[in-house]
Amino acid sequence: MAVQVIMPQLGESVVEGTVTRWMKKEGETVEEMESLLEVETDKVTTEVPSTGSGTILKILVPEGTTVKAGTVLAYIGEPGEAVPEGGAPAQSHAHAAAQPAEEARISAEPTATVDQPATPAQDTARPASSAPAQPQVDRSRDLGFISPVVARLAKDKNVDLYQVKGTGEGGRITKKDVLAYLEKGSGQPAAAQPEPAAWETPGEGDLFRPTELMFGGKGPAMPQGAPSSQSAVPFNPPEPGPGAQPRQQPAAPTPAPAPSDRVLPHTTVRRAIAEHMLHSKHTSPHVTTVMEADLSKIVAHRAANKAAFAESGANLTFTPYFVAAAVAALRSVPLVNSSWSDEGVVLHGAINIGMATSLGEEGLIVPVIKGADGLSLLGLARAVNDLANRARARRLQPDEVRGGTFTITNHGISGSLFATPIINQPQCGILGVGAIQKRAVVINDAIAIRPMAYLSLTFDHRILDGSSADGFLQKVVETLENWA
């Protein structure tokens, strides 16, 4: 009887994986526990062993395809043995169509349904019981971008999106618009609703959207009761009047490659990075604050203890010091060790520090130091060495890049002085560490040469304000400058 090769669940919270390479082809033989294919999850590549010995009868999932854990990938058996019917994966999608990780994965069908206006023939073909009779609506209008979440919700609830009034930018239909339409329950288009204030819809990414007010124009007055902030918060203009065209920002078309151009196909890692970064920028209002730190005591301590750490099997780099300083600051300002949720801000009990690690031209990965607040400097150095080495050797386990509560990126390794990193969702902030350089500084009215570094904190302005963010970063600086 043919043996199934199943997509394994490669971690407690890993629900799917991408087949990146088959090491055997159909018709070739394989031994049980011999490496059969490579699967990538969250930029971690894992070799999957064969579950039996025999001939590869049928490969059901081609390379580059993402499927859920438990999906049948292939069959192994005796040459000529029949493959069971219905063995194809029920839920799979091309990696090129990957959507943000926390959004439910859906096939292209819902999006195609809402992007293509239904013809009269299609409307009359619908069963009478599927939805109440709808009044005439303008199906010539462009629905614009429909997110996978909205498309799935509309399909599940049998909602005609042409009946829904969009309140997002340029009339874009959001999840809240569909839910509001469903709450009406009348089958009639939702009545016009006043545009919500920007701070009431932070998850929609409207908080810092550019308006005329940000560029010195005369915008509407800020309503009473609006929260104050270190940064100016623009107030969205009202809906355009009847007949007015909603403002839209069309995406610039990608030019066709010139004859001398060369197209580099996107790798799975690069697609995952692009997806994660775009999702983060569309989720959190990013604000960055920058301070500098005198690292004289850190440099002296490292020089005095590097040999002793080496005898204990640890290479003492600067990274463990920054991790320890971040831990001290997270204890001092616990709100930074948090995540946003619709129910409230989730304060994490554990302090798990992610450290961005370069993989060269392939991109980067963020292994996580679990329970960083329980480790000494030696323990942190060992953890940093181990995770960094295994990350570059592609030997990390999927769970080792999950569960972080705060992230550090040491971009100064490549000579960068300071940067504005993108938040690693769903975390609240990310610490950027610039290059350590000797600079002239004024100390007690005298000029001195000190090893200095710029530290930047990019934070989620839904959770933190300037005061709390600066308090956290000041604690990082204080810990580094007073190291004993």
Side-chain angles (χ1 to χ4, degrees):
M1 181 177 178
V3 176
Q4 294 178 337
V5 178
I6 303 294
M7 171 64 77
Q9 184 164 353
L10 297 171
E12 182 179 350
S13 56
V14 180
V15 297
E16 62 184 14
T18 301
V19 177
T20 55
R21 182 166 72 100
W22 283 98
M23 300 177 180
K24 298 286 185 177
K25 298 179 181 179
E26 289 186 8
E28 294 184 348
T29 58
V30 65
E31 297 296 327
E32 185 175 5
M33 300 309 294
E34 181 183 358
S35 294
L36 179 58
L37 72 154
E38 290 182 349
V39 173
E40 186 170 88
T41 58
D42 281 348
K43 300 181 284 184
V44 175
T45 300
T46 304
E47 290 187 0
V48 177
S50 173
T51 52
S53 299
T55 300
I56 308 297
L57 301 175
K58 183 69 175 178
I59 292 177
L60 302 175
V61 179
E63 294 177 355
T65 302
T66 301
V67 295
K68 295 187 179 298
T71 300
V72 180
L73 303 177
Y75 282 99
I76 300 173
E78 297 298 326
E81 186 176 352
V83 175
E85 294 290 335
Q91 294 181 336
S92 67
H93 52 276
H95 189 74
Q99 298 296 335
E102 67 290 336
E103 293 185 351
R105 307 257 178 182
I106 62 172
S107 67
E109 180 182 355
T111 304
T113 301
V114 297
D115 284 345
Q116 298 292 336
T119 63
Q122 289 171 321
D123 287 343
T124 56
R126 291 180 181 176
S129 60
S130 62
Q134 302 289 351
Q136 292 292 333
V137 294
D138 180 13
R139 295 187 179 276
S140 64
R141 71 183 178 94
D142 183 11
L143 289 176
F145 172 72
I146 301 298
S147 72
V149 169
V150 171
R152 186 191 64 175
L153 180 62
K155 182 181 180 182
D156 292 345
K157 302 297 184 181
N158 198 23
V159 173
D160 181 0
L161 291 178
Y162 284 96
Q163 299 281 347
V164 180
K165 175 179 173 60
T167 60
E169 180 184 21
R172 179 173 63 87
I173 297 174
T174 67
K175 178 181 177 182
K176 292 181 179 179
D177 297 330
V178 178
L179 294 176
Y181 174 79
L182 290 171
E183 288 179 0
K184 296 291 181 181
S186 62
Q188 301 297 324
Q193 299 291 335
E195 183 76 10
W199 52 87
E200 293 178 354
T201 58
E204 299 296 331
D206 292 334
L207 195 57
F208 287 94
R209 178 166 290 123
T211 66
E212 291 86 347
L213 184 61
M214 296 182 68
F215 297 100
K218 293 183 179 180
M222 186 69 72
Q224 291 185 348
S228 59
S229 169
Q230 186 183 34
S231 303
V233 180
F235 182 67
N236 286 341
E239 288 283 338
Q245 294 296 323
R247 294 184 304 166
Q248 295 185 359
Q249 299 294 333
T254 302
S260 60
D261 294 342
R262 185 164 59 99
V263 177
L264 298 176
H266 297 305
T267 64
T268 306
V269 171
R270 181 53 58 190
R271 287 188 183 278
I273 293 173
E275 173 187 319
H276 195 56
M277 296 299 98
L278 280 173
H279 165 66
S280 182
K281 293 294 286 186
H282 293 161
T283 299
S284 302
H286 284 52
V287 179
T288 300
T289 183
V290 180
M291 295 183 184
E292 63 177 346
D294 180 349
L295 301 183
S296 298
K297 292 187 177 181
I298 296 296
V299 171
H301 185 276
R302 177 172 178 264
N305 292 273
K306 192 172 182 180
F309 274 60
E311 291 178 359
S312 299
N315 177 25
L316 182 58
T317 64
F318 286 106
T319 300
Y321 292 98
F322 295 118
V323 174
V327 167
L330 290 171
R331 285 171 171 167
S332 177
V333 188
L335 191 58
V336 182
N337 197 51
S338 68
S339 298
W340 176 272
S341 75
D342 291 338
E343 291 74 26
V345 175
V346 180
L347 297 175
H348 300 298
I351 296 180
N352 302 329
I353 304 294
M355 57 175 202
T357 304
S358 174
L359 298 178
E361 293 184 356
E362 293 186 39
L364 57 84
I365 195 169
V366 186
V368 178
I369 303 174
K370 303 289 180 66
D373 53 330
L375 297 177
S376 63
L377 186 65
L378 177 59
L380 289 174
R382 286 172 172 164
V384 168
N385 295 167
D386 173 59
L387 290 173
N389 291 336
R390 288 195 292 113
R392 298 186 180 103
R394 314 299 194 270
R395 291 190 290 106
L396 287 175
Q397 297 299 314
D399 281 343
E400 291 177 316
V401 296
R402 292 174 176 264
T405 61
F406 186 79
T407 295
I408 298 174
T409 175
N410 190 355
H411 54 85
I413 292 177
S414 58
S416 170
L417 293 180
F418 63 86
T420 57
I422 297 177
I423 297 170
N424 188 11
Q425 295 295 331
Q427 297 167 21
C428 173
I430 180 170
L431 177 69
V433 180
I436 302 174
Q437 289 186 330
K438 288 185 177 181
R439 293 199 294 270
V441 295
V442 178
I443 300 177
N444 297 326
D445 293 333
I447 297 178
I449 305 299
R450 294 287 188 270
M452 306 294 293
Y454 291 108
L455 306 176
S456 60
L457 174 69
T458 299
F459 59 94
D460 187 338
H461 211 330
R462 297 175 301 175
I463 300 175
L464 299 177
D465 295 319
S467 176
S468 50
D470 288 346
F472 169 87
L473 193 54
Q474 183 58 53
K475 183 64 177 179
V476 172
V477 172
E478 176 186 319
T479 303
L480 294 171
E481 292 187 339
N482 297 308
W483 192 274

